Amino acid sequence: MPHTHTAKKRGRQAAERRLRNRAVKKAIKIQIKSVFDAAKSSPDKLAAEIKAAIKKLDKAAAKRVIHPNTAARKKSQLARLANAKPQPAAASPA
């Protein structure tokens, strides 16, 4: 048990951070699962899901919730998945 005032405060801060970090990691896992679900449907939906997943990964890596190399690895996996699927039809310039 912590005895000093600062040790007690650090324990409270660590508990808050732990909850926040776990929420971010869970959101990333859910987003990545939705990317794999979207891979079975339309390419447009897949592109949107990948964009959202990459944004969450980048934010988590910037805040050091996950290691930047982990974020890069997961983004690479998502890119490989996207490149294996046919691309959405691009709008013709008019």
Side-chain angles (χ1 to χ4, degrees):
M1 254 342 258
H3 295 292
T4 63
H5 172 74
T6 53
K8 290 175 185 175
K9 181 177 178 179
R10 295 297 287 170
R12 289 193 304 269
Q13 289 175 331
E16 288 173 8
R17 283 194 197 99
R18 191 176 314 114
L19 286 175
R20 206 172 312 138
N21 292 344
R22 287 180 66 185
V24 170
K25 287 181 182 181
K26 186 68 174 176
I28 289 171
K29 287 179 185 178
I30 290 171
Q31 186 66 45
I32 289 175
K33 284 183 182 180
S34 70
V35 168
F36 284 104
D37 290 341
K40 299 171 188 164
S41 64
S42 72
D44 294 326
K45 183 170 171 46
L46 176 64
E49 291 292 334
I50 287 177
K51 186 176 178 182
I54 287 175
K55 184 175 181 179
K56 285 186 181 187
L57 285 166
D58 283 339
K59 283 181 117 175
K63 294 179 182 179
R64 298 296 291 194
V65 174
I66 60 173
H67 195 278
N69 290 355
T70 303
R73 187 178 65 246
K74 292 196 179 293
K75 286 165 37 177
S76 175
Q77 290 170 351
L78 295 177
R80 283 199 316 256
L81 175 73
N83 291 335
K85 299 294 276 182
Q87 297 298 319
S92 61

